[in-house]
Amino acid sequence: MTGTVHKGVVATNLVQAYSSGRRLWGKADQFRAVDRVNLTIAEGETLGIVGESGSGKSTLGRMIAGIEAPTSGTVSFWGEHYARVGTPQWRRQRRHVQVVFQNPAAVVDPRWSIHAQVREALTTHEALDLSEADDRTQAMLAMVGLGSMGKRLPHQLSGGQLQRAVIARALVLNPRLVVCDEAVSALDVSVQAQIINLLLNLRQQFNLSLMFISHDLSVVRHISHRVGVMHAGELLEIGDSSTLFDNPQHDYTRRLLAAIPADSPRQRRQRDINAFGGRSAVPAPRQLPVQS
Ligand SMILES: Nc1ncnc2c1ncn2[C@@H]1O[C@H](COP(=O)(O)OP(=O)(O)O)[C@@H](O)[C@H]1O
Ligand SMILES: [Mg+2]
């Protein structure tokens, strides 16, 4: 089975069991953060993964990215299994699959310029002379809209710009698959849309496969060809994005969908306000100064 799809990812019966920390009858109690998940991601395809917090999305993403070995089951990555975590072969495989997380500030070095960090990612994996590395870095930064900002340090960038820098650092390696785990969740709604559009452009230019994990269904719907719904470690349903959103098979999916705010301008503004943590360019009535 696993050998049939070479271009893309095939996950078969993936299980990740963690110890719950409790002991039952002297045996460590195990629970399955991910339970018998089967999925595929084709070349150039975006698979969205939705589900509530704690449903196993990130754990699934780490196994698909090869960062964490499954307890059981297999991941075939372009026809190859991931080598054991930490081995030289595993490190060679790393460049083909990149991960973008929620908080870009946590994954950059505060002392290095954006240019230096993107270039470093490149020279770690390829023996290049410095001028070629600089050229490719500059081209990549331009592609994510940071062409004039390479000299800046991370703290001199906004959250959205910093996420662009992290995306540049991931894509300069020309990966096959990028796993985005809540990659836009910390950004305000207008910046989210910019980053999503950037990812859509890059997906096309690089023929990227994307695994796009988010608890925000409206974001996932916009970017995904297919969507999978996680609940308590299981993949409840998976299917074509429009089919799943228009005609969900599972009761749980219907309840999840019912929680999406409708897209009226007023509700969008309210989401904006929520994303800003209560502050907004458009003040809500209750935020207007009280006349006395
Ligand atoms: N390294 C770990 N050790 C033990 N439990 C974990 C670990 N990582 C995640 N979990 C647990 O696995 C479940 C799924 O977590 P996670 O994959 O982070 O879900 P999600 O990303 O959907 O919020 C949660 O109950 C979480 O507490
Ligand atoms: Mg998560």
Side-chain angles (χ1 to χ4, degrees), residues 25-78:
W25 316 109
K27 258 178 61 182
D29 187 24
Q30 299 243 305
F31 83 102
R32 291 180 166 190
V34 170
D35 197 3
R36 290 162 297 168
V37 167
N38 294 288
L39 59 81
T40 62
I41 310 172
E43 191 163 85
E45 181 183 49
T46 300
L47 175 68
I49 297 288
V50 298
E52 291 167 290
S53 172
S55 59
K57 304 183 298 297
S58 294
T59 305
L60 178 61
R62 288 195 300 273
M63 290 192 285
I64 296 293
I67 298 171
E68 190 173 309
T71 306
S72 63
T74 58
V75 178
S76 162
F77 185 88
W78 273 255

